[in-house]
Amino acid sequence: MKIGFIGLGNMGAPMAANLIAAGHEVTGFDMADVSIEGLTMAKTGAAAANEADVVVTMLPNGAILRAVAAEIIPSMQAGATLIDCSTVDVESARDVAQQARDAGLLAVDAPVSGGIGGAAAGTLTFMAGGSDAAFAVAEPLFDIMGQKAVHCGESGAGQAAKICNNMILGVTMIATCEAFALADKLGLDRQKMFDVVSTSSGYSWTMNAYCPAPGVGPQSPADNDYQPGFASDLMLKDLRLSQQAAEAADADTPMGAHAMALYQQFVEIENGAGTDFSAMLPRFETRTRSSE
Ligand code: NAD
């Protein structure tokens, strides 16, 4: 298949490399100077897209996706498929998919979970929105770049699934970290806390698979001085998207709103930017009930 790949950053570059390794002919474009073995770089996004059967985008946000889509959609061949794997707001995903359909293209919004490690290993999970026909084109590529793809519904459903999942993740991480900090103050050993909670009703992915306490549970960013992993800044981005969507849909999400406010404080005021999102634990360790 001829594939155009636009946005070859931390996630896009290894995803494109996996498509090349599977035998696809990939032409790429990025604003930055990028070089990937076996990939032909184009001078513009439109040039990367105009001969492609499928164009994959992996971009920072909805505004950039809209700008790139406005450039490439008119240059794509009728019947080609646009697969956006970026995490963006639901409205941008729906609008871009509509523009693609209006131009005679198929469109899928397919944000991922699994991070940079999953992108490199080809073990991402794709959450896809779009028609059955569009998903059928995209699915074999998801199988190369990932280990699971769920067709969540019509356009925007992939982004909806992603932000709901990550709202749960952000809230749960905070709850896990504040519980560890409370356990510390109660004199409860962290390993005992893990042994109990990981096998009791308080268990969660953040406790069992990604424990925020160094030296406890399986290896996680906490064991590597909280180097990401999944950066607090990206968690803040996803929590903001969840609250933007909640606002638009008039959904009451008090825990998501509070998680967003805490990550915002952590990232923008408390030097949490660039740390893993589990670094909420050392943050809580330094605090008391009267901390601002
Ligand atoms: P990144 O910043 O490393 O990569 C984005 C790339 O897009 C950069 O190389 C940048 O130069 C390029 N770009 C920006 N504007 C462009 C334009 N107009 N035309 C062409 N290229 C342009 O980001 P990333 O970590 O690869 O994340 C990409 C997306 O994946 C984001 O939406 C992010 O939320 C999502 N995501 C990231 C992770 C993660 O762990 N990094 C996990 C899941 C989802």
Side-chain angles (χ1 to χ4, degrees):
M1 211 179 243
K2 282 190 177 176
I3 299 174
F5 207 116
I6 300 174
L8 297 159
N10 289 320
M11 296 292 289
M15 290 165 71
N18 284 333
L19 293 173
I20 293 163
H24 292 291
E25 194 182 317
V26 183
T27 303
F29 175 70
D30 194 290
M31 301 269 277
D33 202 8
V34 180
S35 136
I36 296 168
E37 208 182 318
L39 179 140
T40 311
M41 282 301 273
K43 289 202 164 46
T44 63
N50 62 11
E51 288 183 13
D53 305 305
V54 169
V55 175
V56 182
T57 49
M58 193 52 166
L59 297 162
N61 59 48
I64 293 175
L65 170 67
R66 283 175 186 268
V68 168
E71 181 196 341
I72 65 172
I73 286 173
S75 78
M76 287 174 67
Q77 299 175 22
T81 303
L82 177 60
I83 305 175
D84 176 46
C85 295
S86 329
T87 304
V88 303
D89 56 288
V90 176
E91 209 178 319
S92 292
R94 287 187 180 144
D95 287 354
V96 164
Q98 187 60 50
Q99 285 162 24
R101 282 194 299 272
D102 291 348
L105 307 173
L106 297 170
V108 186
D109 56 290
V112 302
S113 99
I116 299 166
T123 55
L124 295 170
T125 295
F126 289 84
M127 301 151 237
S131 66
D132 288 343
F135 184 76
V137 174
E139 198 174 18
L141 303 181
F142 295 154
D143 288 344
I144 294 166
M145 297 185 284
Q147 63 184 1
K148 189 170 173 63
V150 179
H151 188 189
C152 300
E154 291 302 318
S155 294
Q159 299 295 347
K162 166 88 187 178
I163 56 174
C164 289
N165 179 74
N166 280 21
M167 189 172 79
I168 295 170
L169 178 63
V171 168
T172 312
M173 179 56 85
I174 290 169
T176 304
C177 291
E178 69 181 29
F180 265 117
L182 170 61
D184 288 347
K185 292 200 174 178
L186 296 174
L188 174 61
D189 179 72
R190 286 183 169 183
Q191 183 63 49
K192 301 293 179 202
M193 162 93 165
F194 177 84
D195 291 346
V196 171
V197 175
S198 65
T199 54
S200 300
S201 47
Y203 84 92
S204 65
W205 186 84
T206 56
M207 176 61 83
N208 293 36
Y210 203 94
C211 183
V216 178
Q219 275 281 319
S220 71
D223 300 306
N224 189 25
D225 206 19
Y226 296 99
Q227 299 300 308
F230 184 49
S232 300
D233 328 37
L234 283 176
M235 174 48 81
L236 175 58
K237 172 192 170 181
D238 292 356
L239 286 166
R240 281 191 168 127
L241 290 175
S242 75
Q243 294 317 292
Q244 189 181 333
E247 183 79 35
D250 194 20
D252 188 22
T253 54
M255 302 297 282
H258 199 53
M260 186 194 79
L262 280 174
Y263 273 104
Q264 184 167 353
Q265 181 171 339
F266 185 51
V267 167
E268 294 180 354
I269 301 170
E270 299 169 348
N271 292 325
T275 65
D276 189 71
F277 83 120
S278 60
M280 271 285 162
L281 175 52
R283 173 191 183 273
F284 278 115
E285 274 168 34
T286 62
R287 295 174 61 84
T288 66
R289 284 184 86 71
S290 56
S291 298
E292 297 258 303

